[in-house]
C-alpha cells in the first residue's frame, strides 16, 4: 500500500508540475485571451485621446476585456466616479473639495495618477491674419461677462470691426475650470453668449467654420486639426514673450499659465478585479507613448516613477488638497508627493 501511495503522490506531483509548466509555457496570446471582463472609464474630453489610445492598444493584447471610454467632461466623470459607478475617471484638473467629500461619503477611495502634460491651446480660424499674439488681459476682455472686447477692433483698432464669435468647453469640462482659474479674475464669470460643448470636436468645427471665431481646448485637438485651425501665441506674463503650445514650451514652463497636468483617477476597489488591474498597469507602463501619439507631452520621468510607486503601493487620496480642504497651488513636481496625500477614509 505504501508503494502504491508513493506512486500516486509521484503522479500527482508530476501532474501539478505539468500544469504549472503548461501555464508558463503557454503563449502570451493564450494568457491574454484568458483574461476577460469590463473596464468602465468616463470623464474629460481632453484626457480621452490618451485613454482611448491606451484602450485600443490594450484591446490588441487582451481582446476579451471590454474597455469603454466615455466623454462627459471632468466634472461629469467625477459625478459618476464618486458614486462608484466607474472604474476610472479621466480628469483635466485635480479633484475638487466637493467631489472629494462626496467620494468620502460614498466610501470611494482612489489613486491619483498623472498621465500626460497639456498646453491648453487658444485657437482661431486660419483666415484670421491679424491676431498674431494675445495676452491674458486680451483673453479676459474677450471671455469675461463684463469684458470690453465684443469686436476684434475693440482689442486693436487696426483689426476687423467684426463681432468675435466665442467658443468654450462646457461647464462640466475640466478645461473650462482650468481656463477660468488661470485666465479670469477670481469671482468673475464667463460671458453668457458663448457657444459651449463638452465635445471638443464641436468646438473645432465651430472655430474652423467662422473667420472671426476664437476657442480653446486641449492641445491634442489642435494638433489633430492643424490644417483647420491656427494656434495663437499667448504672452507669458512672467517673461513678456508670446509662446505657442509646443511640447518643449509645455515641459520647460514657458507656456505659462496654460500648461497643466492631466490625470486618471482609479477606484481602489476596482483594482481588485484583474482586468482593471491589468489595464491600469498597462496604461501607466506606456503612458508616455500614448501621450505623445495624440499630441500631448509625457510627464517627466521623475513624476512617472512616483505615479508607478503610488500604484504599486496602492497609495490612495489626492495630493492637491490640504487637510483643511484648501487647494494646493504650484507645479506638479512640488505637489505630487507621498507626504501630501489626503485620503478619503
Amino acid at each position: 500500500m505504501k508503494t502504491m501511495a508513493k506512486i500516486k503522490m509521484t503522479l500527482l506531483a508530476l501532474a501539478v508540475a505539468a500544469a504549472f509548466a503548461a501555464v508558463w509555457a503557454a503563449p502570451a496570446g493564450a494568457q491574454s485571451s484568458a483574461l476577460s471582463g469590463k473596464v468602465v472609464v468616463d470623464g474629460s474630453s481632453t484626457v480621452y485621446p490618451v485613454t482611448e489610445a491606451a484602450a485600443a492598444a490594450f484591446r490588441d493584447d487582451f481582446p476579451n476585456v471590454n474597455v469603454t471610454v466615455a466623454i462627459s467632461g471632468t466634472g461629469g466623470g467625477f459625478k459618476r466616479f464618486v458614486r462608484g459607478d466607474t472604474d476610472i475617471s479621466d480628469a483635466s484638473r485635480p479633484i475638487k473639495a466637493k467631489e472629494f467629500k462626496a467620494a468620502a461619503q460614498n466610501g470611494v477611495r482612489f489613486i491619483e495618477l498623472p498621465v500626460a502634460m497639456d498646453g491648453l491651446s487658444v485657437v482661431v480660424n486660419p483666415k484670421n491674419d491679424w491676431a498674431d499674439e494675445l495676452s491674458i488681459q486680451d483673453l479676459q476682455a474677450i471671455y469675461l461677462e463684463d469684458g470690453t472686447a465684443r469686436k476684434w477692433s475693440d482689442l486693436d483698432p487696426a483689426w476687423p470691426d467684426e463681432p468675435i464669435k466665442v467658443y468654450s468647453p462646457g461647464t462640466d469640462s475640466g478645461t473650462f475650470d482650468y481656463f477660468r482659474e488661470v485666465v479670469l479674475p477670481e469671482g468673475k464669470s464667463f460671458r453668457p453668449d458663448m457657444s459651449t460643448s463638452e465635445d471638443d470636436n464641436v468646438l473645432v468645427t465651430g472655430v474652423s467654420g467662422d473667420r472671426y471665431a476664437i476657442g480653446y481646448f486641449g492641445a491634442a485637438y489642435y494638433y489633430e486639426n492643424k490644417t483647420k485651425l491656427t494656434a495663437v501665441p499667448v504672452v507669458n506674463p512672467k517673461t513678456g514673450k508670446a509662446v505657442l503650445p509646443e511640447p518643449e514650451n509645455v515641459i520647460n514652463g514657458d507656456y505659462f499659465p496654460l500648461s497643466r497636468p492631466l490625470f486618471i483617477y482609479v477606484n481602489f476597489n476596482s483594482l481588485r478585479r484583474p482586468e482593471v488591474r491589468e489595464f491600469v498597469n498597462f496604461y501607466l507602463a506606456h503612458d508616455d507613448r500614448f501621450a505623445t501619439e495624440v499630441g500631448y507631452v509625457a510627464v517627466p520621468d521623475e513624476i512617472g516613477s512616483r505615479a508607478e510607486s503610488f500604484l504599486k503601493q496602492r497609495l490612495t487620496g489626492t495630493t492637491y488638497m490640504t487637510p483643511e480642504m484648501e487647494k494646493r497651488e504650484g507645479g506638479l513636481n512640488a505637489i505630487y508627493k507621498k507626504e501630501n496625500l489626503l485620503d478619503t477614509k
Side-chain angles (χ1 to χ4, degrees), residues 141-321:
I142 294 171
Y143 277 94
L144 275 173
E145 183 177 23
D146 55 357
T148 57
R150 292 298 178 261
K151 295 181 178 181
W152 286 105
S153 56
D154 293 331
L155 292 172
D156 186 328
W159 292 359
D161 187 31
E162 296 287 345
I164 306 173
K165 178 67 174 177
V166 179
Y167 288 86
S168 168
T171 56
D172 266 346
S173 165
T175 304
F176 174 93
D177 289 333
Y178 188 85
F179 189 87
R180 177 173 58 186
E181 182 177 320
V182 302
V183 172
L184 272 56
E186 189 172 355
K188 293 288 187 178
S189 300
F190 279 99
R191 56 192 291 177
D193 60 341
M194 298 188 303
S195 295
T196 63
S197 176
E198 309 297 348
D199 185 345
D200 291 328
N201 289 307
V202 173
L203 307 179
V204 169
T205 301
V207 177
S208 63
D210 187 332
R211 186 183 182 191
Y212 303 105
I214 189 170
Y216 66 91
F217 34 68
Y221 288 88
Y222 160 60
Y223 289 126
E224 187 180 347
N225 296 281
K226 266 189 168 181
T227 59
K228 304 176 185 175
L229 302 166
T230 298
V232 182
V234 176
V235 177
N236 181 332
K238 293 181 177 178
T239 65
K241 288 179 57 179
V243 182
L244 281 168
E246 299 295 344
E248 60 272 23
N249 296 330
V250 172
I251 289 177
N252 63 25
D254 285 346
Y255 193 63
F256 176 84
L258 298 179
S259 296
R260 58 178 175 166
L262 306 176
F263 303 90
I264 59 171
Y265 285 74
V266 182
N267 186 307
F268 176 79
N269 285 332
S270 295
L271 285 171
R272 301 179 195 279
R273 296 180 1 237
E275 67 272 23
V276 177
R277 194 163 59 241
E278 194 72 47
F279 176 65
V280 176
N281 285 331
F282 179 87
Y283 193 148
L284 219 57
H286 305 287
D287 60 353
D288 53 347
R289 175 163 64 88
F290 301 137
T292 53
E293 275 180 0
V294 301
Y296 293 130
V297 178
V299 295
D301 289 343
E302 184 178 357
I303 298 298
S305 296
R306 287 183 209 171
E308 289 176 357
S309 176
F310 275 37
L311 178 61
K312 185 177 181 180
Q313 297 182 57
R314 301 291 191 265
L315 299 178
T316 53
T318 179
T319 57
Y320 276 83
M321 217 170 294

Side-chain angles (χ1 to χ4, degrees), residues 8-30:
K8 287 182 177 179
M9 288 296 292
T10 301
L11 291 174
L12 178 61
L14 288 172
V16 171
F20 273 108
V23 170
W24 288 110

